[in-house]
Every structure is written in C-alpha cells, then in structure tokens.
Amino acid sequence: MASERAPRRRSLVRIVLASAVVMGGTGVGTAYVKAQAQAHADVGRVTSAAAAPVAAGASEETSVKPVVNPTVAADPTVAPDTLLSDAMRPVTAAAEDGAEVSVAVFDVASGDSAAYGDGAFDTASIVKVDILATLLLQAQDEGRSLTAQEKRYATSMIEVSDNASASALWTAIGRAEGLAAANKRFGLTDTEGGSGMLWGLTQTTAADQLTLLQQVFAENGASGDSGEASELNEASRTYLQGLMGSIAEDQDWGVSAAGAASTADRRFALKNGWLPRTATGLWDVNSIGRVTTADGREFLVAVVSKGNTTKAKGISLVESAARAAVSVFAVDSGTADQS
C-alpha cells in the first residue's frame, strides 16, 4: 500500500509563500509548563515522559455540514494548480471570515501534484510524523533499530497523539536542530522547528508536508518516476505507515474524508493536529496522509488551516479542502470523483 513519490513539478506555480511567524521565547521548567499549556491544548503539559495525553477540543461541537465540491473538468491542458484553485473556490467561499487554508495533493497514478494557498502554519500534532521520521533516519544512520521504549513512545505519539511521548522523542532527536537536519535530507525547505519544547508550534507549509508524505509512502525506496530514493529505508517506511494506518477511532477525520465512503473500501493512513491559540481563541486544524478512493486510486494529501472559531469548523474546512484536492485528479469518464 506504499506509493511512489514524483519529482517536484517546478513548472507548476506552487502557491505556497512562506511568511514569518514570530513567537516569544519560552523557558524550561515551571515557566515552560505554563507557557506550553497556554500556547495550545494540542501540545499538553509535560513534566515527565509519562505525563497523561491531552484530549484537545473534546468539548467542541462535532457536526458541521460539509462543503460539497462541484465537479471539476479534467482538462489535461490546464495546470493542476489552476484546477485546484478552481475547485477550492466554493471551499474558501464557505469558510469563516479570517480562516485560512492551504492544501497540497499528489496523484500516485499520474505522478502529478498540485498546491493551493499561501503562508506558513503551525503544525500542531502533524509534526509528530516528522519527529518519528527524523528518529527513524537517525537510527538508520547509527545502524540500529528503535529501542523498546522508543517504539512505545512512537506508538502512543502517532496512534493516540500522546503529547508526552512526542516531547520525549522531540528531546531524543535533538529538538528543532535535529528536525532541521533530517528535513534538509527529506527535501523540506519551508519548515522550522518550534522553540525549545514547543514542537507543536513548528512552522510549515502544505507543500512541505506533501514532500514529507512522499518520503514516508515511497515504494521500494523510489520517491517517484525520477527514481530518486527516499531517505527512509523500507523497514522505516513500513513501520511509520503502519502506525499512521492504526490511529484511534476518534481521530478518523481530516484527509480520510476524501477517500472511499463505504466501510469496506476505506483505506487510509493519517495524522491530524489541532490546537487553540490563547491570544486569539482561534483554532489551527491540520491533517496529512494517504487516502484511497472507491475506485482504488491513491492520493497523498496535506491540509493546514488556521483562524477557525472552533475545532469542528476547522475539521469541516480541512475535509472540504481535501475533497477538492482529490477531485482534481480522481477522474471517472471525464468528471471528478465526488466520493
């Protein structure tokens, strides 16, 4: 179920412009714990590696009417970015005032990709995929497997989004410096790790998250039709894919909404992230992963958003953007798949 990574389509205009997000520094110890809790609910208080996981947004409403995307003509003469921009019009029109969203998609079958949106976004918990990918890459370099404790942390971090486990592994990889070194090899150019222990405030773009997914879901070491190899070996990719395919049931939302609707056909692997910002009271809601449509087509999709008034509205925006992205390439008889 792994997929191939295509070379970056430099000829397509990637509408993802990095913007600086300036945050104040945070100390460690008691000051860190207070700042961490205030900064966002998704990155929980961490006083030890065994701290309890945080269920951010548990009290938020969970039912929001999704945006139904119109059929998008599959015109091979039009650049995918343009098609995606057209598909996103009803999504952005229905979004709340001030809410921003960016999405990037990779069609495994054709090797084409498209991106929409601009600016940098907080990762929240989607950075946990990057943290584990970094740990696995470092272990490869050291010629070793993950320890039993590292595997326990990794499982909790990805499957149930445990923040204490993420903090333990963030420290293990060397925090932002370690993440940056791995991301340089992965090909991420617009991702900057959070200050100190604030890994959830790592800044990224949808395009960079798509690049990371291409590293994780590359097939047999090849990242695309160029034959460029993933930095992660087969064992590392299989391990990370397996965890992303075993997320907790209550976290089955986000990019999975763009896949097959029927239970029998549902196949996806993902990681979601969510956090409310204390200064504004607004939510960051993100989702990245691989989805399979009802006709068996596979897509890698990354959606990041900010400025949502509730977690539920952010989820609705992210899911609508994911459906729009897949509609550009999931074509059946000349019209976009609406699953």
Side-chain angles (χ1 to χ4, degrees), residues 18 51 62 75 80 83 127 130 167 196 212 239 274 277 327:
T62 57
D75 185 347
L83 293 175
V127 75
D130 205 358
S167 292
L212 178 62
Y239 178 68
W274 61 97
R277 298 309 306 269
S327 76

Side-chain angles (χ1 to χ4, degrees), residues 2-17:
S3 53
E4 295 185 349
R5 176 188 180 195
R8 295 180 179 175
R9 305 278 167 171
R10 296 296 185 185
S11 61
L12 301 179
V13 179
R14 177 166 289 172
I15 322 173
V16 183
L17 304 175

Side-chain angles (χ1 to χ4, degrees), residues 8 34 38 58 77 84 95 158 166 198 209 218 229 231 282 313 322:
R8 295 180 179 175
K34 291 179 180 178
Q38 281 191 330
T77 66
L84 180 52
I158 301 297
L198 296 177
Q209 290 303 299
E231 291 292 327
L282 300 176
K313 289 180 179 178

Side-chain angles (χ1 to χ4, degrees), residues 24-25 31 33 37 39 44 59 62 66 102 107 157-158 166 183 202 213 241 243 254-255 265-266 278 285 308 310 319:
V33 173
S59 62
T62 57
S102 179
D107 176 14
M157 179 178 70
I158 301 297
N183 283 344
T202 294
L213 290 173
Q241 291 170 24
L243 294 181
V255 296
D265 295 329
R266 282 176 65 76
T278 302
V285 180
N308 304 286
T310 67
E319 292 185 341

Side-chain angles (χ1 to χ4, degrees), residues 1-227:
M1 294 179 62
S3 53
E4 295 185 349
R5 176 188 180 195
R8 295 180 179 175
R9 305 278 167 171
R10 296 296 185 185
S11 61
L12 301 179
V13 179
R14 177 166 289 172
I15 322 173
V16 183
L17 304 175
S19 63
V21 176
V22 181
M23 299 175 292
T26 303
V28 277
T30 303
Y32 151 65
V33 173
K34 291 179 180 178
Q36 185 83 326
Q38 281 191 330
H40 50 88
D42 192 32
V43 182
R45 296 174 184 256
V46 182
T47 55
S48 71
V54 176
S59 62
E60 291 294 337
E61 57 182 305
T62 57
S63 177
V64 176
K65 185 176 180 181
V67 174
V68 178
N69 301 311
T71 296
V72 179
D75 185 347
T77 66
V78 179
D81 282 355
T82 301
L83 293 175
L84 180 52
S85 181
D86 291 342
M88 284 294 294
R89 285 197 184 112
V91 176
T92 55
E96 299 176 284
D97 288 342
E100 298 178 41
V101 63
S102 179
V103 57
V105 58
F106 172 70
D107 176 14
V108 175
S110 68
D112 288 328
S113 62
Y116 169 88
D118 56 27
F121 294 75
D122 299 325
T123 57
S125 280
I126 61 171
V127 75
K128 292 171 180 175
V129 173
D130 205 358
I131 292 173
L132 182 51
T134 297
L135 178 68
L136 289 166
L137 183 60
Q138 291 177 348
Q140 286 177 200
D141 291 344
E142 296 165 8
R144 67 175 182 87
S145 300
L146 297 189
T147 66
Q149 183 62 73
E150 287 172 335
K151 288 181 178 179
R152 283 192 289 271
Y153 285 144
T155 298
S156 295
M157 179 178 70
I158 301 297
E159 293 187 354
V160 300
S161 204
D162 178 46
N163 294 321
S165 296
S167 292
L169 294 184
W170 176 250
T171 299
I173 66 170
R175 303 186 185 183
E177 184 178 353
L179 192 80
N183 283 344
K184 183 176 181 180
R185 293 168 62 180
F186 291 147
L188 279 64
T189 58
D190 294 305
T191 297
E192 182 177 353
S195 174
M197 289 297 293
L198 296 177
W199 44 261
L201 296 185
T202 294
Q203 296 291 290
T204 195
T205 63
D208 257 15
Q209 290 303 299
L210 184 63
T211 297
L212 178 62
L213 290 173
Q214 289 172 307
Q215 287 281 306
V216 173
F217 291 97
E219 185 175 349
N220 297 327
S223 315
D225 53 21
S226 69

